[in-house]
C-alpha cells in the first residue's frame, strides 16, 4: 500500500514540475517549450512566417539538446543502483539554472543569450525526466511531461464509466490515475505562468529543490 501511495505522490510531483517548467520557459524565455519540445516546431514555423530573425531558429536547438538528455538519462540509469538518481540530476540542473538566472540578473548581464542558455538547460532537465518515465514506467501513473496520451486514456475510461457505471473498477481506477496526471500538470502550468511572469527564470530553483527532496526521500525509504 505504501508503494502505491508513493506512486501517486511521485506522479503528482513530476507532472506539476513538468507543467511548471514548460510554462516558465514559455512565458519568460521567448515562447520556448522545455517539456513539450515538439511544440517548438509550431512556434518556429509561426515565427518564421512572421519574418522573425535568428531567434526562431534557436527553437530547433531544443531537439538535439533533448535527445542528448535522454541518452544521458539512459547512461545514468545503467550506472546507478537507485533509479531516482536521474531525478536527482534533473533537480540539480534545474536549481543551477535558476541560480544562474538570478546571478545573470544581479550582474546586469541577463542578455537574450543568457536567457536562452538557461532555457536550454531546462530542456535538458526535462529530457532527463522523459527518460525516467520511459525507463521506469511503473514508477508513475502515466507520462508526466506529455498529456495527450493521458487525456486519451482518461477519455476512454470515461466512456467505459458512462456505459458501465462505477461498477467498472478497472476503468474507475485508471480514470483516477489519469486525473492525477492531467490536473497535476495543469496546476504546474498555472504556478509556472505566475512565476514566469512576475519572477522570471530564477524560479526554476523551486522545482529543482522539490526534485532533489524527492530523490533523498526515496533514497532513504
Amino acid at each position: 500500500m505504501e508503494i502505491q501511495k508513493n506512486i501517486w505522490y511521485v506522479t503528482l510531483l513530476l507532472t506539476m514540475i513538468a507543467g511548471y517548467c514548460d510554462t516558465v520557459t514559455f512565458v519568460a524565455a521567448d515562447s520556448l517549450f522545455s517539456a513539450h519540445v515538439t511544440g517548438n516546431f509550431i512556434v518556429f514555423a509561426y515565427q518564421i512566417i512572421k519574418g522573425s530573425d535568428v531567434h526562431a531558429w534557436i527553437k530547433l536547438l531544443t531537439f538535439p539538446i533533448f535527445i542528448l538528455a535522454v541518452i544521458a538519462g539512459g547512461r545514468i540509469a545503467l550506472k546507478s543502483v537507485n533509479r531516482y538518481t536521474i531525478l536527482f540530476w534533473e533537480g540539480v540542473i534545474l536549481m543551477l539554472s535558476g541560480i544562474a538566472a538570478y546571478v545573470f540578473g544581479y550582474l546586469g548581464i541577463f542578455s537574450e543569450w543568457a536567457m536562452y542558455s538557461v532555457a536550454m538547460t531546462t530542456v535538458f532537465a526535462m529530457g532527463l525526466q522523459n527518460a525516467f518515465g520511459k525507463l521506469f514506467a511503473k514508477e508513475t501513473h502515466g507520462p508526466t511531461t506529455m498529456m495527450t496520451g493521458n487525456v486519451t486514456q482518461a477519455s476512454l475510461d470515461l466512456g467505459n464509466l458512462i456505459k458501465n457505471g462505477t461498477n467498472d473498477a478497472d476503468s474507475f481506477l485508471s480514470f483516477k490515475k489519469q486525473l492525477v496526471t492531467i490536473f497535476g500538470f495543469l496546476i504546474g502550468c498555472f504556478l509556472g505562468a505566475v512565476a514566469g511572469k512576475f519572477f522570471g527564470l530564477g524560479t526554476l530553483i523551486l522545482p529543482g529543490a522539490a526534485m532533489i527532496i524527492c530523490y533523498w526521500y526515496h533514497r532513504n525509504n
Side-chain angles (χ1 to χ4, degrees):
M1 181 64 69
E2 185 65 27
I3 294 177
Q4 289 299 318
K5 287 183 179 180
N6 284 340
I7 294 176
W8 285 91
Y9 297 147
V10 170
T11 300
L12 181 62
L13 176 65
L14 293 187
T15 53
M16 287 180 64
I17 286 177
Y20 183 98
C21 292
D22 212 24
T23 311
V24 164
T25 55
F26 187 84
V27 172
D30 190 31
S31 304
L32 187 145
F33 290 106
S34 55
H36 287 73
V37 290
T38 52
N40 292 317
F41 273 138
I42 299 171
V43 178
F44 166 72
Y46 174 69
Q47 290 183 339
I48 285 296
I49 65 169
K50 285 186 64 180
S52 182
D53 54 11
V54 68
H55 297 143
W57 293 92
I58 293 176
K59 302 294 190 302
L60 296 184
L61 285 177
T62 59
F63 294 95
I65 290 173
F66 184 85
I67 291 169
L68 289 174
V70 173
I71 293 173
R75 295 294 178 85
I76 293 171
L78 286 174
K79 296 183 178 180
S80 303
V81 176
N82 188 333
R83 55 192 174 276
Y84 285 87
T85 301
I86 298 176
L87 300 184
F88 169 78
W89 287 111
E90 177 187 348
V92 169
I93 291 171
L94 288 175
M95 284 200 69
L96 291 177
S97 299
I99 292 171
Y102 278 128
V103 170
F104 289 146
Y106 178 78
L107 296 177
I109 56 174
F110 195 76
S111 63
E112 288 184 339
W113 294 108
M115 174 191 71
Y116 283 122
S117 297
V118 172
M120 292 302 171
T121 57
T122 308
V123 171
F124 193 93
M126 290 296 100
L128 292 179
Q129 183 166 320
N130 273 274
F132 175 85
K134 283 293 184 181
L135 294 169
F136 307 110
K138 292 184 178 180
E139 294 298 316
T140 62
H141 289 316
T144 59
T145 60
M146 297 173 287
M147 293 299 109
T148 304
N150 296 329
V151 172
T152 301
Q153 184 60 55
S155 300
L156 292 171
D157 295 332
L158 181 60
N160 290 332
L161 291 174
I162 292 173
K163 178 181 178 182
N164 304 319
T166 55
N167 292 327
D168 189 342
D170 290 338
S171 293
F172 187 61
L173 178 60
S174 178
F175 184 66
K176 289 195 297 183
K177 291 178 179 179
Q178 303 314 314
L179 287 183
V180 171
T181 64
I182 295 167
F183 281 102
F185 191 86
L186 180 61
I187 292 170
C189 288
F190 274 113
L191 294 175
V194 173
K197 179 177 176 59
F198 295 105
F199 305 104
L201 293 173
T203 57
L204 291 167
I205 291 174
L206 300 177
M211 196 66 80
I212 293 174
I213 291 171
C214 176
Y215 164 77
W216 282 106
Y217 175 82
H218 287 90
R219 181 175 181 268
N220 298 312
N221 288 276

